[in-house]
């Protein structure tokens, strides 16, 4: 008779890493839907492209490393990375941007460092930063919200632009991005930043068409979608509350202080919360456990540092948005933060 | 301190960090009364069932014992006796598998019950207040009571603490899923438990007695409240259900808000904790003079048709218990002693129940599909999610401990306080990567302990070595001093100028001269011997030859053919012993033999026409190496041998010396593993040569020997064939070597021819 020998504990709550990853992927759905509604098919195409590329890259590296492909390929981590890359790229960026970014994220940032659990940097953000620095032109091809476009673009048009640079009718990306009044539209953050350098106040910038009624046409809803997904993750305890709360609080406090000091040159706190990649960063990127801090205290510091960096880069840096840079800088700091925020063990240092 | 009691009275408690809520599964057994197990057919009583040393055996195999009779005697403060759970005969005392995670064996007493269940003489003590504290402690110690919650710490040590005790905490939390042994004990025997608590109260005189029980045991709480209603000193603390609130340190935190400093006993904080089952055992021991021979065991799990609590005798095999509960066979039998969180798998079902066994869990396959067994390993990489750190009741960082444990970074493990891990399993329970964290910690802890032991050993050895070095140094100095003094005395004596002194001086000078001369001689000799190895092997070969010759001579003198067989066996024996004595040499010898054989064959052919003498010589030489051939030879050349022997001896030695030298130079050297194949090949060559020779011999010899020869040849055939077959089987490399050997042999043969020409005239 075979006796089953196992190490204690014999019980397990039956959770799995892959289930956790799947949950996070599902939680991006509201944000992605908002993005699709306001900005069209671009990002969905990029997401699909990124997922395929990431899976191929992951498969290749895993087989080279003689790993168990069946379990590791579909553990959801590569797919999640790909989804995040697809979401964060400009909708009209050419196809090879996505492919290059996904390959870089999976092969270099993740697998070359040892695969899941060993990467010091968030693969999606590292890939984004690499693309932004290497291909600045393609990486700023932000598509204005559909409602502001002079042309009607549909799925086929977007697909064609991504793969050939032109719509079937022959319009170029630049033409698509042009407002009815003849100027190229930028993102809300970009608009504010440019206007301040041109001597306009923030209040004047808020009159801009891309900003619309609140903080940016489309962008505000996209951020609200990611906030919703994030709250769902919090409810399901898939992510710890500390990082997003401390990040958002930190960003709020920084922007509030600046707003109090100089309201003319500083955007409002809610503008910072609901434009750019703030909510995506708070709930989906900074909460990446692998590249983040582990203890509660450490996560609070990690999130606060990220908030501060996002604000500083948005305000004083050369790039309009800063989440990717802030995340990478915080990833670098995470081991140090962990080192100094170890909890007091029971019965020690009373 | 009052505030602590006030808080407790208000039902407010502190919280320990972390903790989990696994499915409780207590409903399986918590509503069924404790059943009595019939006396099993055999009891296995490990002589050590607690933390500490085993007692000294006081019974022998074949002894008849009464129920409650001591089987061992405590001989140190940390050792406890074990007792006969029923009357019967000691049938064996041997090492058996003990209930321990290691599955190791330890000495156990095998008791075959006689079914009478006869008690030994007992003294009932109706009022323990009449006994002194020392007497009570002695009774507890003699009853062999150890903490029954799981750790098995000797109770009299805890109860005999000299520290001033503020809180006596009775642990009835029973936080681990499935287990209801304490719950049922309280439901049915609260008054006895309270007696035990009163005895402890008498011993320790605490300010408060706190009974901690989780809020999922409503019936036990009611029973306790009824039993303690009259006692104002006792507070019943109904704590929220959370695993592992029953851990000593965690419970102290919950009740008093204090933390037990690492590496310190709770008594230093003025607290003593006892398990309810231990209290029951104390009452039984002090009042009824009953040693610890039975306990309540929860036998549960969905593989059992009738899970239940039992009063089981210590030593009852687990198999009997699960049989009683109608175990339904599973493909993989999984038996766990203890709960699902901290219990351990049993290697078979004949493991006995011991003092610390509170639960036998027999889960069905779907019920507890442990991810941490050898067959289902779903472990993936840690993603640092930190859920383990959130669940850890000791507030450790399980994920960092895990990395360091995998990296065997012992220093870092200790700085992360690995030894504060209570192995509760909460971290592994929540881990989404299904990493068997506790297993890693256990291995790391064992490695560190082992390393520390080795370090201590090494340190001791170092001290010993240093001491020895110093002692030797001292002795050397002392010796030098002694010699110096003696020399001085001698000098003084010699320089005294007396004739005796002069004579002594000249004697010394002569001795010195002798020594010098000797030295010079030896250095000359050393220069002569180029390679000591060579001379050594030569000597051995020569010895072998000499021996063979001596034997042959003896044979000749006797002139008896009947003795041939005995001789053969003798010879082969001697060659065996020789080859055993010098394994390296046997190889060379074999080669030598082969070479000789070939050479002889050539020589034979040359000389056949002229005279039969050399031929017989050659064969006889061969015979010295190969007894089988010798038989033939001796018959052929009995007459000639005597004359040719001396000359042949010379030739032989020369040949062998040269051959051995050549072999030593390493042309055909091979590793020892090749020895066998090479020998086989050599044998084959020899055999071939023999065959050839035989054929020739047949022609040359007169027909009188024909019959004899034929039979001998027949006898040789198998020996010749076998090595040939073996040789054919050898690889290309072996063939190459064989060719080289052949070449060498040819060269030898040429040389041999030359030397024979030279030496022949000597004849």
């Amino acid at each position: 008779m075979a006796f089953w020998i196992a190490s204690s504990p014999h019980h397990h709550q039956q959770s799995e890493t892959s289930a956790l990853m799947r949950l996070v992927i599902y939680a991006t759905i509201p944000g992605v839907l908002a993005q699709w509604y306001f900005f069209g098919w671009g990002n969905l195409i990029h997401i699909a492209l990124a997922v395929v590329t990431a899976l191929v890259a992951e498969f290749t590296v895993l087989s080279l490393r003689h790993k168990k492909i069946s379990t590791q390929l579909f553990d959801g981590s590569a797919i999640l990375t790909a989804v995040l890359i697809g979401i964060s790229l400009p909708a009209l960026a050419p196809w090879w941007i996505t492919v290059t970014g996904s390959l870089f994220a999976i092969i270099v940032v993740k697998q070359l460092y040892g695969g899941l659990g060993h990467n010091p940097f968030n693969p999606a953000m590292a890939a984004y930063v690499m693309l932004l620095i290497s291909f600045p032109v393609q990486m700023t091809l932000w598509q204005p919200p559909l409602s502001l476009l002079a042309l009607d673009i549909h799925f086929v048009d977007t697909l064609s632009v991504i793969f050939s640079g032109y719509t079937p009718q022959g319009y170029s990306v630049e033409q698509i991005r042009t407002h009815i009044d003849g100027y190229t539209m930028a993102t809300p953050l970009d608009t504010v930043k440019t206007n301040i350098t041109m001597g306009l106040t923030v209040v004047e910038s808020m009159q801009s068409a891309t900003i619309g009624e609140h903080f940016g046409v489309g962008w505000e809803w996209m951020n609200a979608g990611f906030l919703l997904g994030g709250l769902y993750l919090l409810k399901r305890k898939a992510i710890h509350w500390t990082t997003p709360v401390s990040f958002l609080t930190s960003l709020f406090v920084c922007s509030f202080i600046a707003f109090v000091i100089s309201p003319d040159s500083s955007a409002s706190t809610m503008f910072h919360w609901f434009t750019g990649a703030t909510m995506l960063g708070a709930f989906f990127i900074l909460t990446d456990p692998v590249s983040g801090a582990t203890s509660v205290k450490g996560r609070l510091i990690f999130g606060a540092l990220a908030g501060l960096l996002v604000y500083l880069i948005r305000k004083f840096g050369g790039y309009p948005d800063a989440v990717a840079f802030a995340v990478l800088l915080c990833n670098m700091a995470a081991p140090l933060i962990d080192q100094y925020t170890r909890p007091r063990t029971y019965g020690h240092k009373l | 301190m009052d505030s602590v009691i006030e808080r407790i009275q208000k039902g407010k408690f502190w919280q320990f960090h972390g903790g989990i809520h696994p499915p409780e599964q207590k409903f399986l057994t918590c509503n069924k009364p404790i059943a009595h197990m019939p006396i099993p057919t055999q009891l296995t009583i490990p002589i050590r069932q607690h933390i500490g040393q085993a007692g000294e055996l006081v019974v022998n195999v074949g002894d008849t014992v009464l129920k409650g009779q001591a089987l061992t005697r405590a001989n140190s403060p940390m050792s406890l006796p074990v007792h006969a759970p029923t009357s019967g005969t000691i049938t064996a005392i041997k090492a058996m598998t003990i209930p321990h995670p290691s599955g190791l064996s330890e000495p156990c007493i095998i008791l075959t019950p006689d079914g009478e269940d006869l008690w030994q003489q007992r003294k009932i003590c109706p009022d323990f207040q009449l006994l002194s504290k020392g007497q009570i402690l002695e009774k507890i110690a003699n009853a062999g009571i150890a903490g029954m919650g799981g750790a098995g710490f000797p109770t009299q040590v805890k109860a005999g603490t000299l520290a001033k005790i503020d809180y006596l905490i009775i642990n009835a939390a029973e936080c681990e899923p499935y287990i209801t042994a304490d719950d049922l004990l309280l439901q049915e025997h609260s008054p006895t438990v309270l007696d035990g608590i009163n005895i402890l109260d008498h011993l320790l005189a605490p300010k408060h007695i706190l009974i901690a029980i989780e809020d999922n045991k409503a019936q036990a709480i009611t029973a306790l409240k009824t039993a303690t209603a009259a006692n104002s000193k006792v507070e019943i603390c109904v704590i929220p259900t959370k695993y592992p609130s029953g851990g000593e340190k965690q419970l102290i935190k919950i009740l008093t808000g204090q933390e037990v400093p690492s590496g310190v006993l709770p008594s230093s904080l003025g607290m003593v904790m006892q398990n309810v089952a231990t209290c029951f055992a104390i009452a039984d021991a002090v009042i009824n003079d009953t040693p610890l021979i039975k306990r309540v065991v929860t036998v549960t799990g969905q593989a059992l048709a009738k899970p239940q609590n039992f009063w089981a005798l210590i030593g009852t095999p687990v198999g009997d218990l699960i049989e009683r509960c109608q175990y339904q066979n599973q493909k993989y039998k999984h038996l766990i002693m203890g709960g699902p969180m901290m219990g351990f798998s049993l290697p078979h079902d004949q493991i006995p129940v011991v003092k610390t066994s509170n639960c036998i869990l027999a889960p069905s396959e779907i019920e507890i599909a442990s991810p941490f067994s050898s067959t289902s390993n779903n472990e993936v990489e840690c993603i640092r999610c930190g859920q383990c750190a959130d669940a850890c009741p000791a507030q450790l960082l399980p994920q960092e401990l895990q990395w360091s444990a995998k990296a065997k970074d012992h220093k870092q493990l200790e700085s992360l306080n690995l030894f504060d891990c209570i192995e509760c399993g909460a971290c592994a329970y929540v881990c989404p990567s299904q990493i068997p964290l506790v297993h890693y910690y256990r291995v790391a802890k064992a490695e560190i302990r082992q390393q520390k032991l080795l370090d201590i050993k090494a340190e001791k050895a170092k001290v010993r070595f240093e001491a020895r070095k110093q002692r030797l140094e001292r002795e050397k100095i002392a010796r030098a001093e002694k010699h110096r003094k003696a020399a001085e005395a001698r000098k003084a004596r010699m320089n005294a100028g007396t004739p005796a002194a002069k004579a002594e001086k000249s004697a010394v000078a002569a001795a010195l001269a002798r020594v010098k001369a000797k030295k010079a001689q030896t250095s000359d000799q050393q220069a002569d011997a180029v390679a000591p190895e060579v001379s050594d092997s030569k000597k051995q070969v020569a010895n072998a030859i000499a021996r063979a010759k001596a034997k042959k001579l003896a044979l000749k003198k006797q002139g008896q053919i009947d003795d041939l067989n005995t001789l053969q066996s003798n010879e082969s024996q001697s060659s065996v012993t020789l080859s055993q004595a010098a394994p390296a040499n046997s190889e060379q010898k074999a080669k030598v033999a082969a070479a000789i054989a070939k050479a002889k064959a050539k020589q034979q052919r040359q000389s056949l026409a002229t005279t039969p003498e050399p031929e017989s010589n050659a064969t006889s030489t061969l015979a010295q190496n190969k007894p089988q051939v010798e038989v033939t030879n001796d018959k052929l050349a009995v007459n000639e041998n005597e004359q040719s022997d001396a000359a042949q001896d010379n030739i032989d030695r020369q040949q062998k010396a040269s051959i051995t030298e050549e072999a030593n130079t390493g042309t055909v050297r091979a590793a020892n593993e090749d020895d066998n194949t090479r020998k086989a090949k050599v044998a084959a060559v020899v055999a071939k040569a023999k065959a050839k020779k035989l054929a020739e011999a047949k022609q040359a010899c007169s027909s009188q020997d024909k019959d004899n020869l034929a039979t001998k040849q027949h006898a040789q055939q198998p020996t010749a064939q076998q090595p040939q077959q073996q040789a054919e089987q050898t690889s290309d490399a072996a063939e190459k070597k064989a060719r080289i050997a052949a070449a060498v042999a040819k060269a030898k043969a040429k040389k041999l021819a030359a030397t024979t020409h030279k030496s022949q005239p000597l004849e």
Side-chain angles (χ1 to χ4, degrees):
Chain A
M1 198 183 315
F3 269 81
W4 179 287
I5 300 296
S7 178
S8 76
H10 304 280
H11 220 349
H12 190 267
Q13 66 175 8
Q14 307 296 333
S15 62
E16 284 173 21
T17 307
S18 51
L20 194 74
M21 296 287 177
R22 273 200 300 277
L23 193 68
V24 178
I25 293 171
Y26 297 151
T28 60
I29 290 175
V32 172
L33 276 182
Q35 203 177 19
W36 167 78
Y37 182 80
F38 288 99
F39 297 92
W41 291 94
N43 285 96
L44 280 178
I45 294 167
H46 281 302
I47 288 172
L49 207 54
V51 168
V52 172
T53 317
L55 284 178
V56 169
E58 182 99 334
F59 176 83
T60 314
V61 182
L62 285 178
S63 30
L64 283 175
R65 294 180 66 203
H66 305 293
K67 297 276 179 183
K68 252 206 251 163
I69 289 165
S70 55
T71 50
Q72 292 198 16
L73 183 59
F74 295 105
D75 63 8
S77 60
I79 301 175
L80 180 59
T81 300
V83 169
L84 293 176
I85 291 174
I87 290 172
S88 48
L89 290 177
L92 297 178
W95 63 273
W96 52 266
I97 284 282
T98 320
V99 172
T100 317
S102 305
L103 289 177
F104 181 77
I106 297 298
I107 296 174
V108 178
V109 187
K110 183 179 171 193
Q111 293 291 355
L112 284 191
Y113 280 98
L116 180 64
H118 297 285
N119 45 307
F121 298 106
N122 183 306
M125 287 304 104
Y128 182 86
V129 167
M130 183 279 287
L131 291 172
L132 186 58
I133 292 170
S134 313
F135 312 106
V137 176
Q138 288 80 1
M139 285 300 285
T140 46
L141 293 179
W142 296 103
Q143 185 205 306
L146 296 173
S147 57
L148 298 178
L149 288 182
L151 308 159
D152 266 353
I153 64 166
H154 302 287
F155 178 72
V156 182
D157 304 313
T158 317
L159 197 67
S160 173
V161 168
I162 288 172
F163 282 94
S164 66
Y166 297 95
T167 63
Q169 289 81 27
Y171 293 111
S172 73
V173 180
E174 283 310 313
Q175 283 169 309
I176 293 171
R177 291 180 70 209
T178 310
H179 191 248
I180 310 163
D181 297 340
Y183 59 89
T184 306
M185 287 179 288
T187 64
L189 277 170
D190 226 354
T191 312
V192 172
K193 202 173 183 86
T194 322
N195 286 355
I196 288 171
T197 55
M198 283 158 55
L200 296 169
T201 63
V202 172
V203 182
E204 284 167 323
S205 307
M206 289 297 154
Q207 311 302 319
S208 161
T210 49
I211 288 177
E213 280 181 52
H214 307 288
F215 318 108
V217 181
W219 290 92
E220 57 206 19
W221 289 107
M222 217 172 85
N223 272 291
F226 288 125
L227 175 62
L228 188 69
L231 292 176
Y232 170 70
L233 286 181
L234 281 180
K235 190 172 168 284
R236 292 291 304 271
K237 292 195 172 162
I239 56 173
H240 207 270
W241 60 269
T242 41
T243 319
V245 167
S246 111
F247 170 71
L248 290 176
T249 314
S250 163
L251 186 59
F252 184 91
V253 169
C254 291
S255 50
F256 184 74
I257 292 170
F259 189 73
V260 168
I261 294 170
S262 153
D264 275 354
S265 62
S266 303
S268 69
T269 52
M270 286 302 114
F271 179 80
H272 278 290
W273 269 29
F274 285 95
T275 51
T278 309
M279 290 298 167
L280 182 72
F283 292 98
F284 294 89
I285 295 181
L286 281 164
T287 51
D288 170 25
V290 177
S291 52
T294 50
S295 63
V296 171
K297 229 195 291 173
R299 284 174 181 149
L300 287 173
I301 296 172
F302 184 81
L305 181 66
L308 175 72
L309 284 170
V310 165
Y311 184 78
L312 289 178
I313 299 171
R314 277 185 184 177
K315 176 88 178 144
F316 304 107
Y319 291 91
D321 203 357
V323 173
F325 291 106
V327 167
L328 290 195
L329 289 170
C330 287
N331 287 165
M332 285 182 211
L336 192 71
I337 295 172
D338 272 346
Q339 177 74 31
Y340 288 103
T341 55
R342 292 212 171 103
R344 182 186 62 83
T345 308
Y346 179 104
H348 282 265
K349 291 177 245 150
L350 286 168
Chain B
M1 189 199 298
D2 286 329
S3 67
V4 169
I5 295 302
E6 276 165 27
R7 273 180 72 111
I8 288 172
Q9 279 165 347
K10 280 183 205 153
K12 275 170 135 185
F13 299 99
W14 278 268
Q15 275 206 330
F16 65 90
H17 180 266
I20 51 171
H21 294 97
E24 288 171 19
Q25 304 289 344
K26 300 211 185 218
F27 67 89
L28 286 169
T29 49
C30 72
N31 292 316
K32 296 175 196 164
I34 308 173
H36 279 269
M37 223 5 229
I39 298 170
T41 51
Q42 201 178 55
L43 294 166
T44 309
I45 306 142
I47 65 168
R48 194 173 72 98
Q49 302 181 17
H50 66 284
I51 293 182
Q53 293 88 37
E56 192 185 322
L57 272 173
V58 292
V59 288
N60 290 311
V61 177
D63 286 2
T64 312
V65 291
L66 292 172
K67 182 172 185 173
Q69 191 180 330
L71 304 176
T72 61
R73 183 177 59 212
N75 48 11
S76 71
M78 279 298 277
S79 78
L80 286 178
V82 293
H83 300 82
T86 183
S87 59
T89 322
I90 309 289
T91 41
I93 298 172
K94 58 180 177 183
M96 305 272 282
T97 321
I98 52 158
H100 187 269
S102 65
L104 288 177
S105 295
E106 270 194 19
C108 294
I109 298 166
I110 315 293
L111 177 68
T112 306
D114 54 14
E116 308 275 323
D117 208 24
L118 280 176
W119 267 103
Q120 66 165 1
Q121 185 76 35
R122 283 188 292 172
K123 275 182 251 157
I124 309 294
C125 168
D127 189 1
F128 66 85
Q129 303 280 4
L130 299 175
L131 298 171
S132 72
K133 285 185 187 177
Q135 282 172 314
I136 296 176
L137 284 175
E138 201 187 323
K139 273 184 167 242
I140 293 173
N142 287 341
I145 300 175
M148 290 165 81
F153 192 83
T155 300
Q156 90 276 7
V157 177
K158 255 183 175 179
T161 179
L162 298 171
K164 204 172 145 294
I165 300 303
D166 293 329
Y167 297 106
L168 167 64
I169 300 169
I170 306 301
N171 188 348
E174 204 162 51
C175 58
E176 193 150 347
Y178 287 94
I179 309 178
T180 55
D182 291 351
D183 185 4
L184 262 290
L185 190 69
L186 284 175
Q187 284 183 35
E188 297 187 9
H189 299 280
S190 270
T192 320
V193 172
L194 197 73
D195 283 342
I197 294 172
N198 286 334
I199 293 166
L200 285 170
D201 185 16
H202 178 59
L203 285 174
L204 297 163
K207 289 187 184 138
H208 300 281
I209 300 171
L210 310 176
I211 304 178
I213 184 161
E214 279 190 342
D215 56 11
N216 57 359
K217 301 174 186 61
Q219 283 171 288
I221 294 168
T222 322
L224 259 181
K225 281 194 170 150
T226 339
T228 59
N231 195 335
S232 61
K233 213 173 175 182
V234 175
E235 293 292 340
I236 295 175
C237 313
V238 182
I239 57 171
T241 301
K242 180 158 120 178
Y243 179 84
S245 59
E248 187 175 61
K249 291 176 169 187
Q250 282 64 40
L251 193 51
I252 286 173
K253 172 88 183 180
I254 292 172
L255 297 178
T256 68
Q258 294 188 62
E259 287 186 10
V260 186
S262 182
V264 163
L265 287 176
S267 58
S268 67
L269 294 177
M271 296 178 208
V272 165
M273 190 176 291
Q274 292 288 0
N275 177 266
V276 272
T278 319
C279 295
F280 182 89
I282 291 171
D284 231 10
V286 175
I287 297 166
N288 300 328
D289 197 16
T290 304
L292 180 49
I293 53 170
K294 62 171 185 178
R295 69 157 298 145
V296 183
V297 183
T298 307
V299 186
T300 185
Q302 287 173 11
L304 303 171
K306 290 182 176 171
Q308 204 170 8
N309 277 285
F310 283 104
W311 276 111
L313 295 177
I314 301 296
T316 307
V318 166
D320 286 19
L321 288 169
I322 59 166
E323 222 41 64
R324 187 94 181 154
C325 294
Q326 299 177 12
Y327 183 74
Q328 285 145 358
N329 266 322
Q330 310 274 315
K331 189 177 157 211
Y332 293 105
K333 213 169 181 178
H334 192 191
L335 292 180
I336 300 164
M337 184 171 276
M341 298 304 293
M342 291 183 77
F344 50 89
S345 303
L346 297 179
H348 58 78
D349 64 2
Q350 289 308 302
I351 307 267
V353 165
V354 292
K355 292 172 184 173
T356 51
S357 319
N358 50 6
C359 179
I360 307 296
L361 179 55
S364 66
E365 271 151 52
I366 45 159
E367 186 183 4
I368 290 184
S370 169
F372 308 130
S373 76
S374 45
T375 46
S376 70
N377 187 4
N378 302 326
E379 180 181 350
V380 293
E381 292 289 345
C382 170
I383 55 163
R384 316 197 335 148
C385 67
Q387 290 185 36
C388 46
D390 292 340
C392 181
Q395 238 180 316
L396 296 164
L397 289 169
Q399 78 278 23
E400 292 201 23
L401 282 169
Q402 176 244 150
W403 300 325
S404 304
K406 280 182 180 165
K408 300 199 186 300
D409 186 349
H410 294 169
K411 227 172 140 189
Q412 175 71 355
L413 282 170
E414 290 194 60
S415 76
L416 289 169
N417 305 319
L418 173 66
F419 282 90
D420 284 285
C421 170
I422 57 169
E423 297 179 19
C424 68
C427 49
Y429 177 79
V430 299
C431 179
S433 297
Q434 310 202 347
I435 302 169
L437 293 159
V438 182
H439 188 71
Y440 282 116
Y441 308 151
R442 271 197 284 257
V443 171
K445 279 180 180 177
E447 278 172 359
I448 292 174
R449 284 197 198 106
Q450 187 71 22
Q451 191 55 49
K452 279 189 176 155
L453 278 181
L454 288 177
D455 286 351
I456 291 168
K457 258 189 187 167
E459 190 52 42
K460 272 186 189 161
K462 197 180 160 197
V463 169
R464 265 205 308 274
F465 175 73
E466 293 292 335
R468 180 172 179 270
K469 230 166 75 180
Q470 277 176 6
R471 178 172 57 79
L472 290 179
E473 193 60 31
R474 269 200 313 275
E475 283 175 1
K476 203 172 144 193
I477 292 167
R479 230 176 9 251
E481 183 65 16
K482 210 168 109 192
H483 288 167
R484 194 178 56 77
K485 274 186 184 153
E488 273 173 6
R490 216 170 31 247
K491 252 182 205 162
R493 208 166 59 237
M494 277 194 283
N495 293 337
T498 57
K502 268 178 195 163
E504 204 176 343
K505 233 182 193 173
S506 60
V508 168
L512 279 174
R514 268 205 305 279
V515 168
K516 251 183 213 164
K518 215 179 202 175
K519 237 186 219 166
Q521 209 179 354
T522 43
S523 64
D524 278 2
Q525 277 174 354
Q526 271 169 359
D528 283 349
V530 184
E533 257 188 14
V534 174
S535 66
D536 199 45
S537 55
K538 254 190 233 170
K539 225 183 277 168
Q540 267 162 339
V541 170
N543 280 346
I545 294 164
R547 242 176 292 163
K549 293 246 168 84
K551 265 180 195 154
K552 218 187 324 164
L553 267 172
L555 174 77
K556 234 186 312 168
K557 272 176 197 159
Q558 284 171 350
Q560 288 172 342
I561 297 164
D562 339 16
D563 280 356
L564 272 175
N565 286 334
T566 12
L567 185 72
Q568 264 182 344
S569 60
N570 276 346
E571 284 244 346
S572 50
Q573 264 174 13
S574 75
S575 66
V576 166
T577 41
L578 187 71
S579 65
Q580 274 171 349
N585 263 358
S586 65
E587 181 195 329
Q588 290 170 355
K589 257 185 257 165
K591 262 184 275 167
V592 168
I596 292 168
K598 276 197 193 158
K600 300 277 157 74
K602 230 182 204 174
Q603 213 179 8
Q604 235 172 12
R605 254 175 284 145
Q606 288 171 349
S607 57
L608 249 176
T610 53
T611 165
E613 251 185 291
E615 177 241 296
S616 61
N617 276 344
T619 40
S620 69
T621 331
L622 192 68
Q624 285 160 5
N625 296 295
K626 280 279 158 187
Q628 291 103 318
V629 186
E630 191 187 15
V631 182
T632 340
N633 280 323
D634 274 309
K635 282 200 196 147
L636 279 172
V638 161
N639 305 322
E640 291 95 345
N641 259 340
E642 208 159 34
Q643 313 155 11
S644 59
D645 233 322
Q648 195 54 50
D649 211 301
N650 260 344
I651 296 164
D652 249 333
R653 247 175 236 175
Q654 280 172 6
Q655 284 169 357
K656 283 192 185 170
S658 62
I659 288 162
T660 328
E661 258 164 22
E662 274 197 35
N664 269 333
T665 51
T667 41
V668 207
R669 260 293 159 85
N672 276 338
E673 302 99 88
D674 284 346
D675 243 348
N676 286 337
T677 38
R678 178 151 332 141
K679 266 184 216 160
K681 260 179 285 156
V682 169
V685 173
V686 172
K688 264 189 224 163
K690 274 184 215 155
K692 232 183 212 171
K693 216 184 328 153
L694 266 169
E696 286 164 353
K698 257 189 210 164
Q699 287 179 346
C701 288
S702 53
S703 54
Q704 53 183 3
D705 287 318
K706 240 180 190 174
D707 290 356
N708 239 338
L709 252 174
T711 44
K712 291 297 161 192
Q713 198 181 9
H714 194 66
Q716 277 177 12
Q717 222 69 344
T719 35
Q721 273 168 0
Q722 243 174 353
Q724 264 176 339
Q725 281 168 358
Q726 279 175 5
E728 276 160 16
Q729 285 163 2
T730 50
S731 60
D732 283 4
E735 274 174 27
K736 202 184 261 176
K737 268 181 214 159
R739 257 179 279 141
I740 293 170
V744 172
K746 263 184 228 164
K748 304 270 163 76
K750 258 182 200 164
K751 222 189 255 177
L752 184 74
T755 41
T756 358
H757 283 305
K758 273 185 216 160
S759 58
Q760 255 170 354
L762 283 174
E763 255 182 273

